[in-house]
Amino acid sequence: MGGYTGRFAPSPTGALHAGSLVAALASWLDARAHGGRWLVRIEDIDTPRCVPGADEVILTQLAACGLVPDEAPLWQSERAAWYEQALASLVAAGLAYPCGCSRSAIDVANAARGIARPRNGERVYPGTCRDGLHGTGLAAWRMRTQHAPPLLHWQDRRLGAQTQDLHTQVGDFVLRRADGLFTYQLAVVVDDAAQGISHVVRGEDLADNTARQRWLQDALGLPAPQYLHTPLVMGRNGEKLSKQNGAQPIDIRAPLAALNAAADVLGLPEHGGTIGDALAAWTAAWPWRSAT
Ligand code: GLU
């Protein structure tokens, strides 16, 4: 196989919990099972949602679990110039355009087309500003989807063949918000390429973003990583575990217990030895080996 580089990309909106540790452990094990490198990227671009100091807490928790990146972590808050450049090239290619629509304007336009409910809480963009800026507010920048392949196909190493019609199911999506912040979709694609990420391993809740990211990679001429989306840990309310539904921070005084719980979600057996032994045993037992 070519060189393997994997990553864990937490948003520092709080400490690592049982759910986020599954993604961290899975990405580490997949990298080690393929003889690859494992990097960490702190996704602190949505600054209003970031909690000061959470990045250092997460790095400390990872280290306590024996998950230490092979290079110094990357902080997205330091990478705006790269996102700016990527957006400029999409604008130059006619693939991104400014949009002055408010959320309520999008809802009104969608209602007029008989689209009542936002999908996954997201609004399918009706294309109001596609041929020219409407509204007078600060403009966001959106990525055109009508030039994307009608059905975007990609392969998930665990979930199998995936398909999404970006244009009708997502619509032209935001690359830069009206408040100037770059979005996850743009930043993740720019940084996965900048860090040479060959394999993305992350929670299944993010699978739905992959078609957008594949489209951006194609539009920016960037290589496409392979994707593996891991099972989720559910919270008390039946939704993905999060701080809001009872997730407790990983206790760095009992890292093996936390690791065993994460391993169980990944279908790996309980291990009672040292952290190093447990990680080695799980690496050997890792079920999602790929040939490439
Ligand atoms: N920063 C994202 C999160 O914490 C993960 C991004 C990714 O792995 O692509 O949910």
Side-chain angles (χ1 to χ4, degrees), residues 7 9-11 43 184 188 202 206:
R7 50 56 159 197
S11 304
E43 300 212 317
Y184 160 64
V188 78
R202 59 185 177 192
L206 294 166

Side-chain angles (χ1 to χ4, degrees), residues 155-160 162 204 227-232 288:
Q155 192 69 23
D156 186 273
R157 292 167 50 210
R158 175 174 154 259
L159 303 171
Q162 306 290 310
E204 195 175 322
Y227 290 91
L228 188 162
H229 289 87
T230 60
L232 300 180
W288 292 293

Side-chain angles (χ1 to χ4, degrees), residues 4-289:
Y4 180 118
T5 305
R7 50 56 159 197
F8 175 54
S11 304
T13 53
L16 212 59
H17 54 71
S20 35
L21 184 60
V22 172
L25 176 63
S27 62
W28 190 93
L29 290 174
D30 197 53
R32 290 299 181 254
H34 292 89
R37 299 186 317 141
W38 183 73
L39 308 181
V40 170
R41 182 169 71 236
I42 303 292
E43 300 212 317
D44 58 346
I45 32 163
D46 190 354
T47 37
R49 289 187 58 235
C50 292
V51 173
D55 49 357
E56 295 302 336
V57 171
I58 291 170
L59 294 171
T60 304
Q61 291 174 302
L62 288 172
C65 291
L67 309 178
V68 179
D70 294 319
E71 274 177 23
L74 199 70
W75 269 261
Q76 289 193 324
S77 54
E78 292 167 7
R79 299 199 27 91
W82 297 97
Y83 311 144
E84 192 98 50
Q85 206 176 72
L87 177 59
S89 79
L90 294 170
V91 173
L95 286 168
Y97 64 87
C99 164
C101 294
S102 63
R103 289 194 179 125
S104 54
I106 294 172
D107 287 344
V108 168
N110 276 339
R113 296 160 72 225
I115 301 171
R117 202 177 315 142
R119 163 188 156 275
N120 292 346
E122 275 181 54
R123 294 167 172 78
V124 175
Y125 185 62
T128 318
C129 294
R130 191 176 291 145
D131 301 315
L133 185 60
H134 285 65
T136 51
L138 281 173
W141 288 86
R142 287 186 185 271
M143 179 73 186
R144 292 187 192 278
T145 51
Q146 76 267 42
H147 302 306
L151 281 176
L152 239 149
H153 299 284
W154 58 279
Q155 192 69 23
D156 186 273
R157 292 167 50 210
R158 175 174 154 259
L159 303 171
Q162 306 290 310
T163 302
Q164 192 174 54
D165 181 340
L166 267 188
H167 193 48
T168 61
Q169 294 182 292
V170 176
D172 299 351
F173 54 92
V174 177
L175 300 170
R176 186 176 204 170
R177 299 174 0 186
D179 62 8
L181 291 178
F182 290 98
T183 61
Y184 160 64
Q185 308 294 353
L186 181 67
V188 78
V189 161
V190 169
D191 288 343
D192 279 338
Q195 290 187 290
I197 302 302
S198 60
H199 291 68
V200 169
V201 178
R202 59 185 177 192
E204 195 175 322
D205 56 315
L206 294 166
D208 191 44
N209 296 287
T210 310
R212 272 170 273 187
Q213 294 169 16
R214 285 290 301 106
W215 171 224
L216 276 175
Q217 285 152 358
D218 284 357
L220 289 165
L222 301 173
Q226 296 195 37
Y227 290 91
L228 188 162
H229 289 87
T230 60
L232 300 180
V233 180
M234 296 303 167
R236 286 193 290 263
N237 58 0
E239 287 175 11
K240 187 192 90 153
L241 185 66
S242 67
K243 251 189 330 193
Q244 288 69 34
N245 61 23
Q248 296 301 312
I250 297 299
D251 182 353
I252 58 169
R253 291 162 308 178
L256 190 60
L259 283 167
N260 267 307
D264 185 52
V265 174
L266 295 166
L268 295 164
E270 183 166 357
H271 205 283
T274 65
I275 287 180
D277 288 346
L279 291 174
W282 292 328
T283 302
W286 186 244
W288 292 293
R289 283 168 202 277

